Amino acid sequence: MMASVDDFSPLVTIAKKTRLAALKLAVLSTEAKNQAIEAIAQSLESAQAEILSANVADCHAAADVIPKPLYKRLQLDEHKLRDAIAGVRDVGKLNDPVGAVQIQRELDTGLILKRITCPLGVLGVIFEARPEAAIQIVSLAIKSGNGVILKGGKEAIRSCEAIVKAIKQGLSQTVVNPDVVQLLTTREETLELLQLDKYVDLIIPRGSNSFVRFVQENTRIPVLGHADGICHLYIDKAADIDKAIAITIDGKTNYPAACNAVETLLVHSDIAATFLPKFVETSYGASLQLRGDERTRKILPEIAVAEEQDWQTEYSDLILSVKIVDGVEEAITHINEYGSKHTDAIVTEDTEAAQTFLALVNAAGVYHNCSTRFADGFRYGFGAEVGISTQQMPPRGPVGLEGLVTYKYQLTGDGHIVASYTGANAKSFIHKDLK
């Protein structure tokens, strides 16, 4: 049984303040929200030295304490910060997702139904390392009219405090109440946040598999996220070898700690003897720790044996499991059995094989002749993302603004009552869609 939260606890007070600020944000104009977003960008630029200094302190404290992949995510340099600020401004350029009329229907004369998009309310976002995530999330929350309660990992506490301080300073120059953004700093607050189903409308966890599963199992609040990032790359018999090598190298080594990095490489048996040695000969291929099935090790006898567990592992490191398959159907079967529904790709010049792969692989992202590393809200043109969802129901894949709004039905009449539409002399509905 989940613990309850005292209505007078400090976190409940914070959540209530956030909710009140979010209600006022929800009715602001697009122009007002965009002005707030630009103010955030300018404030972050002004605080760059302070933010980077705080991150250096975090990294120094975390060195040799946290795993290597987590440490890489923690690091925030000038380029990462610049890209994050650019993402803030990109969000400002996007269409406002709030107030869109999805349905406008005349049910009967003078009885008009509308379905209109509206903010979710308050988001609870819990993330490990990666302090720039706070920047992305806040910009999306402001644009979509939502309040946000952030909980960064203890390894990134100084970075997050500097970032949120700058964000609040920026908002203080606008009509948006800075209370719309809150930062929690202790582990105890994480557990309490998960119980605030009266005040928080969506939990978004960003972190390790075990962390995301912990969140999913310890809250009644809807959770948006993914527990695994086991991405596959299938090299078909009709693949262009040079293209396949470049895509494999990018998908695995560009940022191995990312959830969209390739973990398993599937290679068609007709091309394996040509592709695999050539891939290993490349500088990046040689630096990888490869683990292969029996057929792969006949071609590359020097590599380690791939065990059953390898097909189910998100390495987040320079480790790649390799399996030889006899066709696109076998590749699809393997992916659908072991994949995490994140992102999977095929390299082939055979259009029919590509279409089969794209249609039958069950994942949020299915790619043809390009790297899995494109699975990212910024690269999709969303400005930023609050996270990636691998659930079957939408939103799915990188989640931007569209995943942070819901809708409500508004019905306007003139004394209409249901009794008029029942019984022997019942009136009929018109059900006429209006432009």
Side-chain angles (χ1 to χ4, degrees), residues 22 31 41 50 74 79 81 124 129 243 250 266 310 322 330-331 360 363 421 431:
E31 181 182 7
E50 183 181 347
L74 173 62
H79 303 295
L81 183 56
K243 193 182 295 182
D250 187 82
L266 305 173
D310 285 298
V322 185
E330 186 179 346
L360 298 182
Y421 301 90
H431 287 161

Side-chain angles (χ1 to χ4, degrees), residues 51 122 133 140 166 178 185 220 234 245 248 274 371 402 416 430:
I51 293 168
V122 175
L140 290 168
T185 57
R220 300 186 191 92
Y234 167 56
I245 289 174
T248 306
T274 303
S371 170
E402 83 293 338
H416 292 75
I430 297 174

Side-chain angles (χ1 to χ4, degrees), residues 53-66 71 74-75 155 158:
S53 176
N55 185 251
V56 169
D58 280 334
C59 290
H60 179 74
D64 302 320
V65 175
I66 62 176
Y71 185 83
L74 173 62
Q75 291 177 303
E155 69 283 347
R158 300 171 186 84

Side-chain angles (χ1 to χ4, degrees), residues 104-148:
Q104 185 166 348
R105 182 171 297 153
E106 186 178 22
L107 305 187
D108 194 7
T109 303
L111 186 61
I112 308 298
L113 176 71
K114 292 181 181 180
R115 188 170 80 190
I116 300 179
T117 57
C118 59
L120 290 171
V122 175
L123 315 174
V125 187
I126 312 170
F127 54 99
E128 295 179 329
R130 196 172 290 170
E132 72 271 22
I135 298 173
Q136 298 175 348
I137 291 160
V138 169
S139 61
L140 290 168
I142 298 295
K143 187 65 179 257
S144 58
N146 291 291
V148 60

Side-chain angles (χ1 to χ4, degrees), residues 41 44-45 48 51-52 75-93 130-137 139 163 254-255 373 376-379 382-385:
L44 288 168
E45 287 174 334
Q48 175 176 305
I51 293 168
L52 294 181
Q75 291 177 303
L76 179 64
D77 58 21
E78 181 181 342
H79 303 295
K80 270 190 182 180
L81 183 56
R82 179 197 62 204
D83 290 346
I85 295 171
V88 172
R89 290 195 164 104
D90 284 342
V91 170
K93 298 172 187 174
R130 196 172 290 170
E132 72 271 22
I135 298 173
Q136 298 175 348
I137 291 160
S139 61
I163 287 169
N254 175 265
Y255 191 3
R373 290 279 291 119
D376 175 82
F378 178 75
R379 296 182 181 118
F382 297 167
E385 66 181 38

Side-chain angles (χ1 to χ4, degrees), residues 128-332:
E128 295 179 329
R130 196 172 290 170
E132 72 271 22
I135 298 173
Q136 298 175 348
I137 291 160
V138 169
S139 61
L140 290 168
I142 298 295
K143 187 65 179 257
S144 58
N146 291 291
V148 60
I149 301 175
L150 300 165
K151 173 59 180 73
K154 63 180 181 180
E155 69 283 347
I157 186 169
R158 300 171 186 84
S159 306
C160 290
E161 286 177 335
I163 287 169
V164 172
K165 178 184 175 183
I167 288 171
K168 283 179 170 286
Q169 285 176 339
L171 290 178
S172 69
Q173 308 302 313
T174 74
V175 296
V176 175
N177 187 336
D179 284 344
V180 81
V181 179
Q182 305 286 351
L183 176 67
L184 309 182
T185 57
T186 69
R187 178 177 174 80
E188 292 70 29
E189 288 173 319
T190 301
L191 297 172
E192 193 174 346
L193 175 63
L194 296 178
Q195 311 312 316
L196 296 182
D197 50 298
K198 284 176 61 177
Y199 307 104
V200 178
D201 299 281
L202 182 69
I203 294 288
I204 305 172
R206 296 179 64 165
S208 66
N209 305 348
S210 57
F211 168 71
V212 174
R213 287 202 172 94
F214 173 82
V215 170
Q216 292 170 332
E217 293 166 3
N218 286 275
T219 186
R220 300 186 191 92
I221 304 169
V223 176
L224 184 151
H226 71 282
D228 297 291
I230 303 175
C231 300
H232 296 77
L233 179 62
Y234 167 56
I235 312 300
D236 186 51
K237 65 179 179 180
D240 177 298
I241 294 289
D242 292 336
K243 193 182 295 182
I245 289 174
I247 291 172
T248 306
I249 289 171
D250 187 82
K252 180 71 255 188
T253 69
N254 175 265
Y255 191 3
C259 62
N260 56 16
V262 172
E263 306 294 4
T264 298
L265 180 67
L266 305 173
V267 185
H268 195 290
S269 54
D270 287 1
I271 203 172
T274 303
F275 171 79
L276 289 172
K278 191 168 183 180
F279 169 66
V280 171
E281 286 171 6
T282 67
S283 57
Y284 279 107
S287 68
L288 288 172
Q289 181 188 141
L290 301 181
R291 301 177 184 180
D293 68 344
E294 184 178 346
R295 297 170 77 182
T296 300
R297 294 185 71 250
K298 287 181 179 178
I299 299 171
L300 304 173
E302 70 278 9
I303 70 173
V305 176
E307 307 289 352
E308 174 68 17
Q309 187 61 33
D310 285 298
W311 314 125
Q312 306 170 47
T313 300
E314 181 180 4
Y315 300 115
S316 299
D317 203 350
L318 289 172
I319 304 171
L320 183 65
S321 57
V322 185
K323 181 178 182 178
I324 292 177
V325 296
D326 290 323
V328 66
E329 292 81 7
E330 186 179 346
I332 292 168

